[in-house]
């Protein structure tokens, strides 16, 4: 474990996606609690944790079909993906063009085009947020960046790291626990429960992630750890609600994380978080 932790701290692979709640900054806190031969992420997002760990195999899942399609395209034909996606990164950062591309993304039925546009929107929208309205339409406003970066280097690194080791799935989080066994560790990074009543960011996809989902996830973690001897780790805000929710966990690790969702860097205060660890004993 010591050697593994050293590798984790020495190099953090950059994700090519901007992502609210990206775990790159705290992967050194999470890594020491990950053990086994296979890592499963039911809420993979930018894959920051998987990209900075060393397992025999990975299953990265997300409810966002366009995100998973993008990963599949990169994994199977990285050159074609780069060539196709890069055509949208023209003329710097124009607000009118952004809203035209957002409209195209929301209306096209071509899954490959949606994947290319998903990367464009991610690099051009406000703070790289991923948010949809009740009709399933991407609705994040324009981000005022001088020249959005096309992450070719990071995309190629992603391709090399994931090739032959990663399986990408677009399923409900409940289904991911079917992969649980004693050689598996499941790391869950769900949409967080709000710190306050006015700070709910759970509308990542069309369906909200509500308290009943948090309870169901906790129950699945407890069941997998006790019945299948699988280690399960869940990230969330540190609140009275989550402390009570995870009271049956074998361990709770508390720490502070700097926020990344404010337009003004000096207003990005730290927020308390926890890791609830079900050790699979």
């Amino acid at each position: 474990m010591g050697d593994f932790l050293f590798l984790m701290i020495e190099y953090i692979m950059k994700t090519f996606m901007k992502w609210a709640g990206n775990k790159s900054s705290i992967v050194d806190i999470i890594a020491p609690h990950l053990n086994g031969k296979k890592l499963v992420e039911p809420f993979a997002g930018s894959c920051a944790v998987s990209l900075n760990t060393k397992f025999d195999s990975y299953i990265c899942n997300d409810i966002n079909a366009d995100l998973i399609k993008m990963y599949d395209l990169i994994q199977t034909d990285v050159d074609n993906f780069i060539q196709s996606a890069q055509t949208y990164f023209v003329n710097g950062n124009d607000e009118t063009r952004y809203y035209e591309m957002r409209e195209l993304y929301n209306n096209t039925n071509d899954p490959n085009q949606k994947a290319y546009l998903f990367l464009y929107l991610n690099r051009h929208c406000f703070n790289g947020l991923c948010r949809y309205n009740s009709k399933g339409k991407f609705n994040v406003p324009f981000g005022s960046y001088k020249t959005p970066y096309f992450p070719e280097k990071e995309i190629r690194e992603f391709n090399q790291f994931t090739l032959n080791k990663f399986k990408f799935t677009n399923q409900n989080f409940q289904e991911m626990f079917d992969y649980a066994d004693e050689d598996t560790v499941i790391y869950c990074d769900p949409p967080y429960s709000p710190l306050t009543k006015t700070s709910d960011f759970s509308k990542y996809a069309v369906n909200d992630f509500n308290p009943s989902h948090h309870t169901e996830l906790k129950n699945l973690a407890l069941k997998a750890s006790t019945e299948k001897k699988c280690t399960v780790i869940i990230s969330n805000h540190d609140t009275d609600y989550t402390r009570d929710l995870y009271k049956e966990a074998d361990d709770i690790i508390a720490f502070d994380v700097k926020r990344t969702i404010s337009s003004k860097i000096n207003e990005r205060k730290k927020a308390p978080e926890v890791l609830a660890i079900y050790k699979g004993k």
Side-chain angles (χ1 to χ4, degrees):
M1 181 65 73
D3 292 338
F4 174 63
L5 182 56
F6 173 78
L7 289 173
M8 293 291 304
I9 295 174
E10 185 174 282
Y11 176 65
I12 299 294
M13 183 184 290
K14 291 183 179 180
T15 62
F16 65 88
M17 300 289 289
K18 294 185 176 184
W19 207 259
N22 187 314
K23 292 297 179 285
S24 294
S25 64
I26 60 169
V27 71
D28 59 324
I29 297 175
I30 299 169
H33 307 287
L34 302 176
N35 56 79
K37 297 180 180 179
K38 177 173 65 181
L39 176 60
V40 175
E41 285 202 71
F43 310 88
S46 66
C47 297
V49 172
S50 287
L51 292 175
N52 289 283
T53 55
K54 191 173 182 180
F55 287 85
D56 293 341
S57 63
Y58 301 78
I59 301 175
C60 287
N61 178 78
D62 202 275
I63 197 172
N64 190 311
D66 300 327
L67 176 67
I68 295 302
K69 179 64 175 179
M70 181 183 64
Y71 289 157
D72 280 332
L73 290 173
I74 291 171
Q75 191 180 52
T76 56
D77 192 347
V78 65
D79 290 330
N80 182 65
F81 178 86
I82 289 172
Q83 181 179 1
S84 299
Q86 202 163 19
T87 61
Y88 295 97
F89 284 66
V90 295
N91 301 328
N93 195 26
D94 179 77
E95 185 172 4
T96 299
R97 176 176 170 78
Y98 171 79
Y99 286 110
E100 290 174 350
M101 293 301 99
R102 193 179 77 171
E103 184 73 10
L104 179 59
Y105 170 81
N106 283 329
N107 289 286
T108 183
N109 292 318
D110 182 338
N112 286 12
Q113 185 180 43
K114 285 185 76 72
Y116 307 142
L117 285 166
F118 187 78
L119 178 61
Y120 168 85
L121 293 175
N122 175 260
R123 304 297 303 192
H124 290 74
C125 73
F126 176 74
N127 269 4
L129 292 175
C130 184
R131 187 185 64 201
Y132 299 81
N133 64 22
S134 60
K135 295 181 180 179
K137 302 296 185 181
F138 188 90
N139 65 354
V140 182
F142 175 70
S144 300
Y145 307 111
K146 288 185 178 180
T147 305
Y149 171 63
F150 183 77
E152 179 175 353
K153 176 179 178 292
E154 291 82 359
I155 290 172
R156 291 192 181 280
E157 287 183 348
F158 182 93
N159 166 264
Q160 288 299 306
F161 190 84
T162 64
L163 209 58
N164 302 319
K165 293 190 299 183
F166 276 61
K167 176 181 179 181
F168 296 106
T169 59
N170 172 224
Q171 299 174 333
N172 293 321
F173 72 88
Q174 297 92 333
E175 298 175 77
M176 303 311 295
F177 284 83
D178 292 339
Y179 297 101
D181 60 37
E182 61 184 10
D183 291 324
T184 301
V185 57
I186 300 179
Y187 171 65
C188 302
D189 184 27
Y192 281 11
S193 60
L195 280 171
T196 66
K197 292 182 179 180
T198 59
S199 62
D200 190 350
F201 293 98
S202 66
K203 294 181 180 180
Y204 157 67
V206 179
N207 298 316
D208 295 353
F209 201 89
N210 58 46
S212 67
H213 292 116
H214 281 290
T215 299
E216 184 176 10
L217 177 61
K218 179 265 298 185
N219 289 338
L220 286 169
L222 186 60
K223 182 177 180 181
S225 68
T226 55
E227 295 183 4
K228 297 186 177 182
K229 311 305 179 186
C230 171
T231 298
V232 183
I233 300 172
I234 305 175
S235 287
N236 211 328
H237 281 138
D238 189 356
T239 65
D240 291 341
Y241 165 75
T242 55
R243 288 282 180 159
D244 182 64
L245 179 67
Y246 304 134
K247 61 187 177 184
E248 296 169 288
D250 295 297
D251 200 1
I252 292 182
I253 309 297
F255 52 95
D256 290 332
V257 178
K258 191 172 184 178
R259 291 181 180 273
T260 59
I261 308 180
S262 174
S263 58
K264 298 180 180 179
I265 295 177
N266 60 359
E267 292 181 3
R268 296 178 180 178
K269 299 178 180 179
K270 290 187 176 182
E273 293 194 12
V274 293
L275 292 181
I277 303 174
Y278 300 82
K279 295 184 176 180
K281 55 188 177 180

